Amino acid sequence: MNYRTMLFIPGNNPGMLTSMEVLGADSYIIDLEDAVNLDNKDAARDLVSSFLDNKPDENIFVRINAPDTPYFEDDIKAMLDKDIVGFVLPKATTESVEIMEDRLKNSDKTYFCIIETAVSLETAFDIVRVGKKISGLLLGGEDMSLDLGVKRTKESKEIEYARSKVVAVSKAMGIQAIDTPWTDTDDMEGLNKDAEYAKSIGMTGKALISPRHVDDVNAVFAPKKADVEHALRVFEALKQAKIDGKGAFSLDGKMVDKPVILRAKDVLMAVNQYTEEYDGLL
C-alpha cells in the first residue's frame, strides 16, 4: 500500500496513541526516538508495547532508536512480535541497514529509512540496494538542514536537491518516497503549497507531525476522480489489446506506451483499485 500520509505519534503520549483511530492518516509512526528524551526511553517503550497489545486496526510503524544507540536492541525485541507493519530507521546508513536486515531476516515486517544526513543522502542508492525489506525513503528535512549547515526555511530551497535525490532513488528502486513534515502547525496555506510541490516532483506521500494536517495532505496526494477513471480505461484498453493480439494500441486518439500504463498503475494502486488481473497484462 502507498501511504499518502504518515503521521508521527510520540511514543510517550498515551492520549495521542489512544486517539489514533479517529485521526484519519493512512499510516502512523509511533516515535521512540526524537520525541522521547533519554530518561524516558524505557518507559515509552513499555507504554508502546502495552498499547500495541490491543492496537487499533491501523497501519502502524515504530520509529526505533538507531543501531549505534544503547536502545536499539531493546526497541527491536519489544516490537518485533507486535502487530505492526514495520519500523522506521533513523539516520540510515548502509551499515545500519545491514543490521536491520539481519534483525528482520525471519520476519515479514518492512521498514522505511529516514534520509536525514549528507552521508545518507549521497549513499541513498546503496542503502536501498542493501535493504531488501525497505518499503520507502523518508526525507528528514530538519536534520538534513542541520547537517548541511544551512537554515531551514518555509521555501525549502535548501533541500531541493535532497528532495529530488530521494525521489529519483525511490523511483529507480520501485519504493515509496515520503516527503519531510511541514513544521508550522498553523500555516495551512503553506502546508498545502508545500504538499502540492512535493507531489509535483514525484513524492508519493508526506510525513506529518500534526493531526490537523492529515485531511489536507490526504486530499493533495489523492488521485483526482478523472485520473482514476482514465487509469481504469487504460487497463481496459490494454486488456482488449491483448485479446485482439495487438502489441500497440491507442486511447482517445493517442498511443498508449509503457510510461502511460505505469502511471495508470500508480494511480490505481493509490486508491486500492489495482487488481491481480492487471498484473497479467503488464
Side-chain angles (χ1 to χ4, degrees), residues 50-64:
S50 296
F51 168 75
L52 292 174
D53 286 336
N54 298 285
K55 66 176 278 293
D57 186 21
E58 303 290 345
N59 297 306
I60 294 176
F61 293 82
V62 176
R63 175 160 74 170
I64 53 178

Side-chain angles (χ1 to χ4, degrees), residues 3-278:
Y3 303 116
R4 298 169 298 173
T5 45
M6 301 188 78
L7 176 62
F8 278 98
I9 303 288
N12 57 356
N13 189 325
M16 285 196 70
L17 288 171
T18 56
S19 65
M20 190 181 292
E21 290 178 286
V22 300
L23 298 180
D26 284 351
S27 61
Y28 299 87
I29 302 172
I30 300 177
D31 190 8
L32 295 177
E33 194 218 11
D34 282 351
V36 180
N37 62 42
L38 297 182
D39 293 337
N40 291 328
K41 294 289 187 183
D42 293 339
R45 185 188 309 114
D46 291 342
L47 173 64
V48 172
S49 180
S50 296
F51 168 75
L52 292 174
D53 286 336
N54 298 285
K55 66 176 278 293
D57 186 21
E58 303 290 345
N59 297 306
I60 294 176
F61 293 82
V62 176
R63 175 160 74 170
I64 53 178
N65 291 277
D68 61 354
T69 71
Y71 313 106
F72 172 77
E73 295 294 348
D74 287 337
D75 288 348
I76 285 283
K77 289 176 182 177
M79 304 299 154
L80 197 55
D81 293 329
K82 301 298 182 182
D83 183 18
I84 60 175
V85 180
F87 298 93
V88 173
L89 179 67
K91 298 178 177 62
T93 63
T94 53
E95 293 79 11
S96 65
V97 164
E98 286 174 348
I99 293 171
M100 280 295 290
E101 292 288 319
D102 178 69
R103 299 302 184 274
L104 299 180
K105 61 186 176 184
N106 296 318
S107 171
D108 62 354
K109 290 179 172 53
T110 64
Y111 61 103
F112 281 76
C113 288
I114 305 185
I115 304 299
E116 52 187 332
T117 67
V119 169
S120 64
L121 183 64
E122 290 307 308
T123 58
F125 188 71
D126 294 327
I127 285 172
V128 181
R129 290 182 68 184
V130 170
K132 306 305 181 185
K133 292 178 175 288
I134 294 175
S135 291
L137 300 180
L138 193 163
L139 176 62
E142 303 302 315
D143 282 336
M144 179 66 70
S145 298
L146 180 65
D147 199 47
L148 294 174
V150 297
K151 182 180 179 181
R152 185 77 173 94
T153 67
K154 287 188 174 182
E155 291 76 21
S156 295
K157 294 290 185 181
E158 66 281 357
I159 60 168
E160 275 189 354
Y161 168 70
R163 275 174 150 170
S164 296
K165 182 71 175 282
V166 165
V167 168
V169 171
S170 298
K171 299 298 184 180
M173 300 302 288
I175 60 176
Q176 298 181 57
I178 305 298
D179 192 38
T180 189
W182 178 257
T183 58
D184 189 334
T185 57
D186 296 322
D187 185 1
M188 302 303 288
E189 181 180 356
L191 166 72
N192 278 273
K193 288 181 179 179
D194 192 61
E196 290 282 4
Y197 175 75
K199 181 181 179 181
S200 75
I201 64 169
M203 289 289 185
T204 57
K206 192 169 182 65
L208 312 175
I209 60 169
S210 171
R212 295 183 60 203
H213 294 173
V214 169
D215 290 344
D216 284 44
V217 176
N218 274 342
V220 168
F221 280 93
K224 303 296 186 288
K225 181 179 179 181
D227 294 334
V228 175
E229 291 175 348
H230 180 264
L232 288 169
R233 292 179 61 231
V234 166
F235 273 93
E236 288 304 312
L238 177 59
K239 185 192 303 183
Q240 188 60 50
K242 294 289 185 180
I243 294 172
D244 295 340
K246 295 180 179 178
F249 66 98
S250 63
L251 181 65
D252 299 331
K254 298 179 180 179
M255 291 302 298
V256 176
D257 56 10
K258 188 173 182 179
V260 172
I261 295 170
L262 293 179
R263 280 195 294 271
K265 178 182 178 181
D266 288 343
V267 169
L268 296 183
M269 288 187 69
V271 293
N272 295 321
Q273 291 192 40
Y274 186 82
T275 67
E276 291 183 2
E277 174 191 9
Y278 295 146

